[in-house]
């Protein structure tokens, strides 16, 4: 079990989301379906974060897994 997530990539994932739809963001960094959960967090102590789109638009999901505004990017990757 790790205290810190695996960095999937050091830039955000731009995703077109659909209003009212829920997305499960990978918090551990191990998912093969980045930026979304595929169940790879089992036994890591991490859980995916649910994001429900308020409107249909492009959002930027955190790729480095260190954002203080998870699941969205807050530019934390620029400090890693």
């Amino acid at each position: 079990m790790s205290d810190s997530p695996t960095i999937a990539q050091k830039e955000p994932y731009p995703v077109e989301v659909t209003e009212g739809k829920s997305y499960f963001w990978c918090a551990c960094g191990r998912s093969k379906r980045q930026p979304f959960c595929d169940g790879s967090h089992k036994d890591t102590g991490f859980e995916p974060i649910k994001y429900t789109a308020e409107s249909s638009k492009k959002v930027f999901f955190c790729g480095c897994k260190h954002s203080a505004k998870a699941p969205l990017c807050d530019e934390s990757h620029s400090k890693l």
Side-chain angles (χ1 to χ4, degrees):
M1 185 153 92
S2 170
D3 316 357
S4 106
T6 300
I7 296 170
Q9 69 178 27
K10 288 189 177 180
E11 58 187 43
Y13 290 93
V15 177
E16 292 287 341
V17 296
T18 304
E19 182 176 356
K21 186 174 175 189
S22 292
Y23 300 84
F24 290 87
W25 175 76
C26 166
C28 72
R30 294 180 174 188
S31 174
K32 302 286 186 257
R33 293 180 49 235
Q34 291 295 334
F36 304 116
C37 177
D38 69 358
S40 296
H41 62 275
K42 190 172 189 274
D43 301 325
T44 65
F46 289 97
E47 292 290 327
I49 295 177
K50 182 179 180 179
Y51 172 84
T52 302
E54 294 174 9
S55 60
S56 295
K57 63 182 179 182
K58 183 185 287 185
V59 297
F60 294 88
F61 285 99
C62 174
C64 75
K65 312 303 175 184
H66 288 77
S67 175
K69 294 188 338 188
L72 303 178
C73 177
D74 72 352
E75 299 291 321
S76 288
H77 59 271
S78 62
K79 300 176 197 78
L80 295 175

